Amino acid sequence: MSQQPDQQPGWRARLRHWLMQRARNDRANLRLFVTGAALFFGGLGILLYAEQRLLASLTQELIAAAGLLFAACGAVLATLGYLALSLLRILRFISDDD
């Protein structure tokens, strides 16, 4: 299947190009991982603080929910950063383009 010169590349080619660009930026990937880990542990600290230091109330539940939200967002960011540091580096090494 031949592609016309005036057509845009397919989504697979765009995804591969984006992943290869992301794989070349180790500093940003490490920053993403560290930021995600800090956000995760900060959210975990807020969650533990609400559980152990506050009396049972709506305020405690709202603070615990905020801590859980921070921890979940941090876990997602740290996971993405870690995968970018490890798997995308492997993808970069086995790529035929370079």
Side-chain angles (χ1 to χ4, degrees):
M1 178 178 226
S2 176
Q3 190 172 358
Q4 299 292 332
D6 59 344
Q7 288 181 343
Q8 296 292 326
W11 67 271
R12 288 182 186 178
R14 287 191 309 247
L15 178 63
R16 182 173 174 82
H17 178 69
W18 181 80
L19 287 174
M20 293 306 289
Q21 281 183 334
R22 190 77 199 173
R24 289 184 185 98
N25 199 350
D26 289 334
R27 185 173 290 211
N29 293 335
L30 182 62
R31 189 178 316 120
L32 183 65
F33 174 72
V34 170
T35 303
L39 191 60
F40 172 78
F41 287 114
L44 190 62
I46 292 170
L47 192 61
L48 290 173
Y49 173 78
E51 178 66 29
Q52 295 183 359
R53 300 285 182 185
L54 297 177
L55 296 175
S57 65
L58 179 62
T59 304
Q60 179 199 23
E61 295 299 325
L62 291 175
I63 291 173
L68 187 62
L69 181 66
F70 286 150
C73 291
V76 168
L77 288 177
T79 301
L80 289 175
Y82 182 75
L83 289 174
L85 283 170
S86 58
L87 293 179
L88 291 181
R89 185 175 290 175
I90 294 170
L91 178 66
R92 184 177 67 190
F93 286 138
I94 63 173
S95 177
D96 296 337
D97 296 339
D98 292 337

